[in-house]
Amino acid sequence: MEISTLATYHCLAFVWYFFVAYSITHVETEERPSEVFLYGGQWKYLTVLNLVLQAVFYGVSFLADVLRLIKKLRCAKCIISSRDLLFSVLAFPVSTFVCISFWTLYTYNRELVYPKSLDGVIPLWLNHAMHTAVLPFALLEILALPHRYPAKKKGLILLGFVAFLYISWVLWIYSVTGEWVYPLFALFSPSGLAAFFAGSLAVIISFYNFGEFLNRMIWGQSKFSS
């Protein structure tokens, strides 16, 4: 794909994610159900954090494209490294996890992750923007250009560290409020919850590996962006 086309695509994707993140963080306060948006606001939900992550990623990608267009290759090389690290370790596995885990649980019992009371607060388009569109965007990014993946050990350590930070945030909120971020967590005993978190980490690691596999299958052994 031509650099100018990539720049346009990454700019539009950045604007889209910024708009979606802005929309969900400005839901009218008086319309919010009492059990939602307590301590931590929207920032306790992985879905919302993922929107910010995607906006940052596409912003960095657009910057890399612009630097390449104006021939600032030395600066572009550093930004491209950051872009590829963001995508491989976080942007692809997290967006894939958000989409698949949300719709799996929603299909099983929506009250565990997305109470029906939210239907009158969050428009249908915004729900799909947060939980559905993130996966096609991630797949399109892999098709658009190759990404350099870090050494497997480094990548998994970084992913595990970010997962640990989020789990710590979830547990901290529970310790302060006595309420779980997702009603699903209340169904588990402490050991069951630990197993659930461990299983979720295993799933997101599998998505990391899947992204690396797709990148290699589509672009071959050369993982450096052109």
Side-chain angles (χ1 to χ4, degrees), residues 92-113:
F92 182 84
V94 173
S95 60
T96 306
F97 180 82
V98 165
C99 179
I100 293 179
S101 63
F102 174 83
W103 288 112
T104 298
L105 291 169
Y106 185 98
T107 301
Y108 173 71
N109 183 354
R110 65 168 298 176
E111 294 299 320
L112 298 177
V113 289

Side-chain angles (χ1 to χ4, degrees), residues 32-80:
R32 298 173 181 175
S34 59
E35 70 272 17
V36 181
F37 306 141
L38 297 172
Y39 183 87
Q42 293 97 328
W43 307 111
K44 60 176 175 282
Y45 297 110
L46 184 60
T47 296
V48 178
L49 295 175
N50 180 56
L51 295 176
V52 176
L53 167 64
Q54 301 302 321
V56 170
F57 165 70
Y58 283 106
V60 171
S61 298
F62 176 61
L63 176 59
D65 297 335
V66 170
L67 290 173
R68 293 170 69 194
L69 283 171
I70 63 177
K71 306 302 182 181
K72 298 290 185 180
L73 300 183
R74 183 174 298 181
C75 295
K77 184 176 180 180
C78 179
I79 300 300
I80 288 172

